[in-house]
Amino acid sequence: MPDPRRVLIVVENLPVPLDRRVWLEATTLTEAGYHVSVICPTGRGWDAAYEEIDGVHIYRYPEPPEAHSGAKAYAIEYGQALRHMFRLAKTVHAEQGFDVIHGCNPPDLIFLLARAWRRKGVRYLFDHHDVCPELFEAKFGKKGMLHRVMLLWERMTFATADVSIATNESFRRIAVERGGMDPDDVFVVRSAPKVEKFVPGPGNPDHRHGAGTVLGYVGVIGQQEGMDLLVAALDHLVNEMGRTDVHLVIVGFGPQVEDVQRDVSRRGLDAHVTFTGALYDQALLEVLNVIDIGVAPDPWNAMNDISTMNKVMEYMTLEKPVVQFDLTEGRASAGEASLYAEANDPKGFAAKIATLMDDPELGRRMGRLGRERVLERLSWSHSAPKLLAAYDRIFDKVP
């Protein structure tokens, strides 16, 4: 029997298996006969320095201080993470071996690790999670020398990559046009839940808090996710439009939680909002299955417009209608399963929610369309073969 293909996946921003995309990739490769190792940070209860889960060998380094603003803070976070990646790669190579490094950005610096191992015949597959130059612009609202540095890192990443995988067609265009990659070396592997686990059901009625309509948000509570616009939309819906029979459940964690909570209180909306914190697996499904409308308030900016939002895919998989701002990839994902407000307009967002409150049958029809869309073209079962094709391509290049 031939030796298994050996892969090292490297991710910086979330521990595994908490990072759902990375975990789907790792377990899909393992099920296909690959020998898979992962380097990632600790955090969120995943604190073992090493463990094997479902055949995946996970090596974790101490969670670096999370940067929320400023070049110095990000330099510290990424510098510490890279130091641990270089250290643990030696350990993984000695204990497990690897022929390919699969680097997940951000940051666009894992190519440094890949270059260090290239002389030993290791190839680099770049997993393009975020467009870092646009992410920088969304966070800091300006361009300049640091923005040019981000573009340089991105070019060097694509120049190092033998194969890259993109989360959508917009990212694929960047790989080819801005990154100069051969189109045959770029594969679209969309992020999507496993439909076998994300199954519509009754949910836990306690999360309704007695409201006639329940809105649900799941995701990061951060600077560029539009939480200020969501709270402003709820304020308009409740205090200006008089739609008081509504409750918003916010699931997630992030650097802006306390700011959002203060905004909710300042607007007198405490009775209409619940913060659950981070929820996983069955606890998450108990919330998302009980909501009536999934909300995605990500504002229009250069990054969000071309990014696929995981929460939209999760709402659709659970047969929930979606309200979001009109973004290119948001519309490409959801189609008729969503209503689209004019970009960054909280009053328009509130009006779209009110439309679904007034027409529950429209919401149910949109929910059915969304789940059908996932099952027919967007679920992980459609992405897994493309992931494996990308790996066939890169192993053709392994010496």
Side-chain angles (χ1 to χ4, degrees):
M1 183 174 180
D3 291 336
R5 293 173 168 182
R6 303 172 301 172
V7 175
L8 170 59
I9 300 177
V10 181
V11 58
E12 190 275 340
N13 62 339
L14 280 176
V16 171
L18 179 58
D19 189 312
R20 290 197 289 277
R21 175 182 173 87
V22 174
W23 189 240
L24 282 171
E25 291 170 336
T27 52
T28 297
L29 291 171
T30 301
E31 290 164 5
Y34 287 72
H35 187 86
V36 180
S37 306
V38 176
I39 292 174
C40 66
T42 59
R44 301 290 165 182
W46 301 100
D47 298 323
Y50 167 80
E51 62 181 323
E52 181 182 343
I53 303 175
D54 295 344
V56 179
H57 302 270
I58 305 171
Y59 293 76
R60 301 191 185 96
Y61 57 85
E63 183 179 17
E66 186 178 1
H68 303 318
S69 63
K72 183 178 179 181
Y74 279 97
I76 292 172
E77 176 187 346
Y78 294 156
Q80 290 188 16
L82 282 169
R83 178 171 59 85
H84 287 298
M85 289 173 187
F86 273 82
R87 173 181 62 85
L88 284 174
K90 294 179 181 178
T91 302
V92 176
H93 192 262
E95 296 180 359
Q96 312 295 338
F98 53 84
D99 308 298
V100 167
I101 291 176
H102 174 146
C104 309
N105 79 328
D108 281 346
L109 288 171
I110 300 173
F111 77 89
L112 295 170
L113 179 68
R115 287 194 170 192
W117 284 92
R118 181 172 289 276
R119 63 181 176 271
K120 295 186 178 181
V122 174
R123 293 297 180 241
Y124 186 43
L125 184 146
F126 175 48
D127 191 350
H128 198 184
H129 288 198
D130 286 316
V131 277
C132 287
E134 284 81 359
L135 176 60
F136 179 91
E137 185 180 346
K139 279 181 174 290
F140 301 110
K142 59 182 180 181
K143 297 186 178 181
M145 182 186 71
L146 289 176
H147 186 264
R148 291 194 293 274
V149 169
M150 304 297 285
L151 287 168
L152 174 63
W153 288 350
E154 181 187 76
R155 285 197 297 273
M156 295 179 75
T157 292
F158 284 120
T160 304
D162 299 280
V163 168
S164 72
I165 57 178
T167 57
N168 57 42
E169 292 294 340
S170 294
F171 279 34
R172 185 178 188 275
R173 281 193 296 274
I174 287 174
V176 174
E177 296 172 5
R178 203 158 77 192
M181 291 202 71
D182 183 334
D184 291 338
D185 290 331
V186 185
F187 296 77
V188 176
V189 180
R190 298 183 64 93
S191 296
K194 269 194 169 182
V195 295
E196 298 85 356
K197 293 186 176 181
F198 264 66
V199 179
N204 183 346
D206 291 344
H207 292 295
R208 297 195 66 86
H209 297 276
T213 300
V214 180
L215 315 177
Y217 172 90
V218 60
V220 176
I221 304 173
Q223 180 182 355
Q224 67 268 13
E225 278 73 29
M227 300 305 293
D228 56 336
L229 297 173
L230 177 58
V231 175
L234 184 65
D235 184 16
H236 183 72
L237 189 69
V238 173
N239 295 322
E240 300 296 327
M241 300 177 69
R243 312 304 292 264
T244 58
D245 193 19
V246 65
H247 197 88
L248 168 63
V249 183
I250 296 176
V251 181
F253 59 87
Q256 305 294 321
V257 173
E258 292 183 359
D259 292 340
V260 177
Q261 289 172 334
R262 282 192 291 269
D263 193 16
V264 167
S265 297
R266 182 177 63 82
R267 296 174 184 270
L269 295 170
D270 290 297
H272 296 275
V273 181
T274 298
F275 294 83
T276 69
L279 298 176
Y280 310 110
D281 301 325
Q282 188 58 36
L284 175 61
L285 289 176
E286 287 181 357
V287 173
L288 294 186
N289 264 323
V290 86
I291 69 173
D292 301 297
I293 303 167
V295 291
D298 307 86
W300 187 97
N301 57 43
M303 182 192 75
N304 287 344
D305 189 51
I306 59 174
S307 298
T308 299
M309 305 302 172
N310 289 337
K311 54 183 166 284
V312 171
M313 302 301 301
E314 291 169 351
Y315 302 149
M316 292 167 60
T317 305
L318 293 176
E319 217 167 89
K320 306 299 178 182
V322 183
V323 173
Q324 59 183 312
F325 293 117
D326 197 357
L327 307 177
T328 298
E329 285 296 335
R331 190 177 281 273
S333 295
E336 296 180 2
S338 177
L339 296 183
Y340 303 92
E342 186 176 341
N344 307 353
D345 176 13
K347 292 184 178 180
F349 200 92
K352 298 300 181 183
I353 294 173
T355 296
L356 291 175
M357 292 176 69
D358 291 337
D359 192 347
E361 180 52 38
L362 171 62
R364 285 189 287 270
R365 186 164 64 251
M366 289 169 56
R368 290 192 295 270
L369 287 172
R371 183 164 173 84
E372 288 172 6
R373 192 174 177 85
V374 170
L375 293 176
E376 291 173 2
R377 68 172 85 171
L378 300 176
S379 70
W380 183 250
S381 63
H382 296 282
S383 291
K386 297 174 183 177
L387 174 70
L388 297 177
Y391 266 91
D392 285 337
R393 178 75 170 176
I394 198 167
F395 269 93
D396 285 343
K397 302 184 179 191
V398 172

